[in-house]
Structures are given as structure tokens and as C-alpha cells.
Amino acid sequence: MFKRISKKKLIIQFLVVSILIFSVTGLAFAQKTYITLGTGGTAGTYFPIGGGMAELVNKYVPDVEATAEVTGASSENARLLDSKEIQFAQANASAAYLAYHGEGIFDKKLNILACFNMHPSFIQFVTPRDSGINSIKDFKGKRICVGPPGGTTYVSAYDIINTAGLTEKDFKPSYLSFAEGVKAMKDGLIDVLTISSSVPNPAVMDISTTRDIRLLPVEKAVLDDLTERKPYYRPGKIEAGSYKGVDQDVPCIIVWNVVICNADLDEDLVYKCTKVWYEHRDYLLKVHPIIKYMTLEVATEVPIPMHPGAEKYFKEIGIIK
């Protein structure tokens, strides 16, 4: 025969079990780490890559939940990391360098470190083929869109133009986003549009479908001078065939994009995330073809000091001795 249990005892047993379940569940929730990855606009390169990175963390890093957040890209990402509103982000090397040192568009040193080098952005000067502009020196008196103020396209545009010997007084600058710049060029309101992006860039492709375009080369003397003075720039080229009507390689300046993080992040967290992103690089390559540049050969070529967690991973696989 079964012993009868009083209603009071049943209630007590139920409460004890409930408390135990609640305690264990609460502990599990308490151990979960939530991170946010700063990206850029939804039409850019950063956003899909950041989404893929978040998916990999959620799938392969236990007790960590990641989300990718739309942001104003490089400069804003550095500021969001400093304020701990996000934990990881993509940014171009110039923004990372200036933010870490508190120079240029940043009025103080920001609390960020690098995780790894990722892929290059190409500084592209686009002009209609019939504009009569064949080089940067031809900008005198012309209407030049240099990108939105405070952004890194704006910084790179002026670095190159100034190194070529021109100042803001020599031309008519406009400060438009990529989308605004495309519309302005289609409407005949600007002569040159500056784009800092992967190649091919959708905005440049859009223009090339309605107008014959020319990409302006950066002279070797400018390339040599600028890359010597500013460590985050590299000489590069936009390959022939990248856009309709571009039938020769075009010398240009490139600036690498890096993954950066808040300097105070836990070493083990940064190690695990870096490890997952490299071990599952093939997945990110499916997300965006620009990831072909994300190789171990360039991984540690970062413009600012590396986070100890990232260093641990690269030491483990022999990239850092």
C-alpha cells in the first residue's frame, strides 16, 4: 500500500523542488555572456560579415550570445567600444589608429585594442569619363564629394588630396554619404565621388550602369609619401574589369579593416571568439567574398596593440612567436 502524504507536505515538497529548479535555472542565466558586434549600414560590407560572426559565436562558443548591430561604422564603432555599449566591432585601420592615439577626429584616447586584420578597403575616386578629370591634380575648381564629415572616407580623401598638393580652397568640396553622392553624380551636381569600400562597390556599379566612368589613379609619389607618413595606409590597385569601362589596373591607396574590441574584455572570451572566427573562416567567405583577404599571413598586421586574448590564439597556432 502507498503511504498517504498530507496536502501540507505535498505543498512543501513542491516549493522545495521549485526553488531548486529556479536556483539552477537562474545560475545558468547568470553565467551567460551577452556581446554585441558593431558593424555599419545595412548596405555595406560590415553588416553581413558582422551577422556571420555573431552566428558563429552563437553556434560554437558555449554560454555566449552574440548579436550584430547596425551602426555608423568605423568611427562610431570605436566610440561605442570605448563606452562599452558594444564589445567587438569592425573598423578601418585609420579609425582604429586615430581612436587609440586620440588624434584626428577623436579628442581623446579610446580604450580599444585590436583582435586581427581582416580585409582591405580601396579608396576610389570616381568621375564621369567625359568630365575632363584625369588625375587628382585636375581637381582644381571642380566639385569633389569627399564623404560625410567626421567619417573615415573624409579623412582618407583629404589625406590623399593634400599629399597631392591641393587644399580645400582649391576645389569645391561636398560632404555626402555614398548614396547621396551617387544621386548627386547622376544629377550632374558633382564631378568626383570618393568611395572607401571593398571592390566592386555597389554604389560605383550603380553609377557605371547609367554613365561611363573613370577611376582616377593615385600617383606613385603620393602613394610613397602617404604610406611612409601614415602607417595604416598601403599601396594597392583596383584590378582591370572590376567595373564596367575600367579596362586597366588603377593604382590606389588601401586601408585595411580590422576587428577591434574593448580593451577590458575578458581574455578567454576574446581568445574563444578569435579562434572560432578563424576556424570557421569558410563560413564567413560564403557570407561575403571579401573575406578571401582574411588570411593568417596578414592577421597580426594591426595598427594598434593586440588584445591578450587574440595574441593567445595567434601564439597557439604559431603566427606570433
Side-chain angles (χ1 to χ4, degrees):
M1 293 181 62
F2 293 102
K3 293 179 66 176
R4 296 191 58 161
I5 301 175
S6 69
K7 188 175 180 180
K8 184 176 181 181
K9 285 185 178 180
L10 281 172
I11 293 172
I12 292 172
Q13 288 176 358
F14 174 77
L15 289 173
V16 169
V17 171
S18 297
I19 291 169
L20 287 172
I21 292 172
F22 180 79
S23 298
V24 171
T25 305
L27 182 61
F29 278 118
Q31 290 175 338
K32 193 131 187 167
T33 299
Y34 296 89
I35 62 172
T36 301
L37 285 73
T39 63
T42 55
T45 304
Y46 285 1
F47 182 71
I49 293 174
M53 293 169 72
E55 289 174 12
L56 289 175
V57 170
N58 292 335
K59 187 172 182 179
Y60 295 108
V61 182
D63 300 318
V64 178
E65 185 172 318
T67 56
E69 182 175 299
V70 175
T71 69
S74 298
S75 301
E76 183 181 358
N77 284 345
R79 294 187 175 97
L80 290 171
L81 286 172
D82 182 67
S83 62
K84 298 187 177 181
E85 294 175 67
I86 61 176
Q87 287 68 49
F88 292 92
Q90 298 167 77
N92 67 42
S94 58
Y97 179 92
L98 295 171
Y100 179 81
H101 292 283
E103 298 176 2
I105 56 178
F106 299 96
D107 56 9
K108 67 171 186 174
K109 296 180 179 181
L110 302 188
N111 190 36
I112 61 172
L113 290 172
C115 295
F116 53 87
N117 207 10
M118 202 172 206
H119 60 80
S121 284
F122 299 76
I123 314 302
Q124 305 163 64
F125 294 102
V126 187
T127 189
R129 189 164 287 275
D130 60 3
S131 67
I133 300 173
N134 297 298
S135 72
I136 294 170
K137 291 181 178 179
D138 294 333
F139 283 7
K140 286 187 177 181
K142 301 296 184 180
R143 301 163 299 176
I144 313 299
C145 175
V146 294
T152 50
T153 298
Y154 163 93
V155 172
S156 296
Y158 272 109
D159 281 344
I160 296 169
I161 293 168
N162 293 160
T163 303
L166 301 179
T167 69
E168 191 173 15
K169 296 179 181 179
D170 293 317
F171 58 90
K172 301 170 185 176
S174 60
Y175 306 94
L176 307 173
S177 69
F178 292 173
E180 293 168 338
V182 168
K183 186 177 186 305
M185 181 161 282
K186 287 181 175 180
D187 293 342
L189 301 177
I190 59 172
D191 300 303
V192 176
L193 172 62
T194 309
I195 297 279
S196 176
S197 173
S198 57
V199 172
N201 172 267
V204 182
M205 293 176 70
D206 184 11
I207 296 171
S208 69
T209 60
T210 58
R211 305 195 65 169
D212 292 333
I213 64 167
R214 174 183 289 116
L215 295 186
L216 301 175
V218 178
E219 295 179 356
K220 187 177 184 303
V222 174
L223 290 171
D224 291 345
D225 184 0
L226 191 54
T227 54
E228 182 178 345
R229 288 187 294 107
K230 297 184 182 290
Y232 41 82
Y233 289 128
R234 297 284 187 276
K237 67 178 179 181
I238 300 167
E239 295 181 352
S242 295
Y243 299 106
K244 180 183 175 183
V246 177
D247 51 12
Q248 293 183 342
D249 291 348
V250 180
C252 69
I253 286 285
I254 62 174
V255 55
W256 280 84
N257 296 277
V258 295
V259 174
I260 55 179
C261 66
N262 180 275
D264 298 330
L265 275 188
D266 177 71
E267 180 178 328
D268 190 54
L269 173 64
V270 177
Y271 164 79
K272 287 178 178 177
C273 290
T274 303
K275 179 181 174 72
V276 161
W277 291 327
Y278 268 90
E279 288 186 344
H280 298 277
R281 174 183 171 275
D282 288 349
Y283 176 75
L284 294 178
L285 187 58
K286 292 176 183 176
V287 171
H288 200 292
I290 198 71
I291 293 297
K292 70 181 180 180
Y293 293 102
M294 183 181 146
T295 64
L296 290 173
E297 286 75 18
V298 300
T300 59
E301 295 178 11
V302 290
I304 62 175
M306 188 172 282
H307 192 283
E311 280 188 341
K312 178 181 176 181
Y313 172 69
F314 292 117
K315 286 178 179 177
E316 184 178 271
I317 62 173
I319 300 301
I320 297 177
K321 304 301 182 184

